[in-house]
Each structure stands twice: as C-alpha cells, then as structure tokens.
Amino acid sequence: MFCFVDGRYSQTPGIWRKDQIEAWKPIVKAVHEKGGVFFCQLWHAGRVSNYSFQPNGNPPVSCTDKPIQTDVDIAIFSPPQRLTVEEISQVVDNFRVAAIHGIEAGFDRIEIHAANGYLVDQFMKDQVNDRTDKYRGSLENRGRFPLERVEAMAQEIGPHRVGIRLLPYADYNQCGDSKPDALGLYMAETLNIYNILNCHVIEPRMITMFEKNITKSSLLPLRKTFKGTFIVAGGYNRDDGNEVITQGGADLVAFGLLFLANPDLPRRFELNLVLNKYDRNTFYTHDPVVGYTGLSVS
C-alpha cells in the first residue's frame, strides 16, 4: 500500500501526522491478525502533482523546474519548483520521519517508492534531471538522492526493515533514462552497501504502463548483483510468476492489476481458479469503490 511522505495527490493516505498514524494502527492490526505481513510504501509525487494539492497552493517540487507536458489544455501537472540542496536534505529527513511513523503504526517493513516517474525517479533519470550541482550528471550523482533516503531510513529503523522499488526501463510520467541497464545495475550494486531487505524492480517489458512489450533487456543482471530479497513486478500471472521463481529469476513476485479485481488472489492462485477481470475505469478512484482502488496496491 502507498503512504504519502510529503507533497499531495488526491485521495492518497498520508503518514506525516499523528492522527494518520493512529488511523493506520487498527488496519495494520487487522492484517496481522489474519497472518499477513504489511509493508508501508513511502511515496512522494514530486512534479506529478498540481497546485491544488499543495499546501497554500504552492508549486510541487522536483529536481527540475520543467513541467510534465500534456496534450490537453487543462494544466493537469503544474510547473514544479526546483529543490535547493538544503531543501533536498529536508526531504531526506521527511522520509526518515515517515519511516519512524510507519513502524510506530505497526507496519512490518518500509519501502521507498523510487519508480513510476515520481520524485525519487525524477532525480535518477537523466532525461529529467537537469541540475548543475552534486545531484546531477553521473550515475553516482543521480543516485545520491535515493541512496541518501535509504541510508537515513536504514540508520533509523534498521536495514532489515527497508526496501526500495525501482523502474529503470520505462519513462512513466515522462521520466526516462538514456542508459537504463547501467542505471539499474548501479543501483542494485550500490544498495548492497546498506544491507537493506529488498529491491523491488519493475520488468523492462512494462515500457508502457499496464501493457507488456517485447524487449531484449532483462532483470537477471540485477538479480545476480543484489544480495537481498529480489522482487519482480510487471504483467505477471500465476504461471509465469511460478516460472520466474523456479528458474531463479526472483525471490518474490509482486502482483498489482490482478489484485485490484481479486482481493483473494492468493487463494485463487492456490486453487487455480478463474480470475475476475479488472476494470481500468475504477483504478485510482475512491468513488465508486470496486475491489481494491489501486491507491492501496503497489
């Protein structure tokens, strides 16, 4: 599930206030009572936002001041404000505090959402990051922002409770990279320094959101490099999920779309039952609620 660490996005739950922490506690407790393990995925939208969602109508923040371009007349995404180095340090601390809040709420693990064109991904990708300071240019510089978060959170709550989600290969929300293989491999290798729990990576075939494509790229080099639990996601079903585990391509498989229409997905997989078809029109909305909303499934 997602929790906002900062910024704003309509109808997305947060975890930066005391009342939000308290509101999560009975939910986490209910999951634990059913024998579940509950991850809190910390999300910052960055420039994928609008003035109307920001405190006092301020612009959203990013590594850049370049807005996302759209083909419609309505400004869905407002021009962002480029974060200063000092402000970046504050965002790092926001993630650290959010991790503390997640553990206080009872979550078992905390995962950084560093994919899908959101704030952390914006810093990593060279087609968005146009800075002129220590956060721009080389892989080391572009990877500095996510790794500072990993380090701060690992020191605060323990590396065994920290994970990260990556998307090197796609340009969701106009956030692409010219050398995704190198970016993915650098992150997988460098993350080992911090001994974190998991690296959760979206398959290269998901170049287009929600659709599988044919590609020569593979996550196997990342899988062989990262020493913790390696999780893959992106267009999996029961059969190819079992296959990637059997062949050693991953330790775990994450499912998103199928869960939206099938809250009992593990049971259906276990019995090899027919699955409900998902309806994209009901994704990421709170009204009407059909299955899961998508705001609670990563």
Side-chain angles (χ1 to χ4, degrees):
M1 48 71 58
F2 294 136
C3 275
F4 247 120
V5 62
D6 203 351
R8 299 295 184 272
Y9 208 87
S10 179
Q11 302 300 326
T12 307
I15 199 161
W16 62 85
R17 298 194 312 257
K18 183 66 175 178
D19 61 319
Q20 293 170 332
I21 299 170
E22 294 303 316
W24 278 115
K25 286 182 178 180
I27 300 172
V28 176
K29 182 175 182 290
V31 171
H32 287 159
E33 288 175 347
K34 293 292 185 178
V37 176
F38 213 169
F39 278 56
C40 178
Q41 188 182 77
L42 300 180
W43 183 24
H44 193 310
R47 69 175 185 165
V48 189
S49 189
N50 186 281
Y51 295 140
S52 62
F53 301 140
Q54 302 296 317
N56 302 315
N58 292 326
V61 299
S62 180
C63 63
T64 180
D65 57 8
K66 295 183 300 184
I68 296 175
Q69 301 297 319
T70 63
D71 296 329
V72 296
D73 293 333
I74 301 173
I76 299 175
F77 304 115
S78 303
Q81 171 188 325
R82 189 191 305 271
L83 287 165
T84 67
V85 172
E86 291 75 18
E87 289 169 337
I88 290 172
S89 296
Q90 181 59 56
V91 174
V92 172
D93 195 61
N94 290 346
F95 272 82
R96 180 189 65 82
V97 172
I100 297 173
H101 290 175
I103 297 303
E104 184 180 343
F107 288 101
D108 301 286
R109 306 289 187 270
I110 309 295
E111 184 176 85
I112 301 170
H113 193 338
N116 292 64
Y118 299 119
L119 181 64
V120 184
D121 204 22
Q122 291 159 28
F123 271 84
M124 286 191 289
K125 300 290 183 63
D126 62 9
Q127 293 181 13
V128 177
N129 189 332
D130 60 356
R131 302 180 68 86
T132 58
D133 55 24
K134 65 181 182 180
Y135 291 95
R136 193 241 178 169
S138 65
L139 286 172
E140 292 78 8
N141 284 353
R142 286 184 282 120
R144 189 186 306 274
F145 184 76
L147 294 173
E148 285 178 344
R149 263 131 225 77
V150 168
E151 182 176 22
M153 290 168 56
Q155 290 178 350
E156 190 65 54
I157 65 172
H160 62 292
R161 292 195 178 105
V162 177
I164 191 169
R165 174 179 169 96
L166 301 172
L167 174 64
Y169 295 93
D171 62 349
Y172 298 172
N173 292 310
Q174 297 177 14
C175 191
D177 193 82
S178 62
K179 297 179 179 178
D181 290 309
L183 175 60
L185 196 59
Y186 169 76
M187 290 300 297
E189 183 175 14
T190 310
L191 286 167
N192 288 328
I193 297 173
Y194 305 99
N195 295 313
I196 62 171
L197 175 69
N198 72 271
C199 183
H200 173 185
V201 191
I202 301 172
E203 287 281 358
R205 63 190 180 189
M206 304 306 292
I207 298 172
T208 303
M209 195 175 294
F210 302 138
E211 297 178 6
K212 291 190 287 187
N213 296 267
I214 297 174
T215 176
K216 295 181 180 179
S217 297
S218 169
L219 294 183
L220 195 56
L222 279 67
R223 159 64 164 165
K224 293 180 177 179
T225 299
F226 183 68
K227 300 185 185 305
T229 300
F230 194 75
I231 306 173
V232 295
Y236 277 97
N237 58 34
R238 177 181 182 273
D239 293 336
D240 60 7
N242 285 333
E243 182 180 0
V244 73
I245 296 295
T246 300
Q247 294 183 352
D251 297 300
L252 295 171
V253 177
F255 296 91
L257 294 179
L258 298 183
F259 253 124
L260 297 180
N262 299 274
D264 58 345
L265 187 64
R267 182 64 170 169
R268 294 192 184 219
F269 276 178
E270 180 184 4
L271 300 178
N272 200 18
L273 300 177
V274 176
L275 302 180
N276 296 326
K277 294 183 179 180
Y278 52 80
D279 181 359
R280 296 189 192 281
N281 294 323
T282 65
F283 290 1
Y284 304 103
T285 178
H286 66 294
D287 184 21
V289 174
V290 180
Y292 287 135
T293 66
L295 287 174
S296 57
V297 176
S298 63

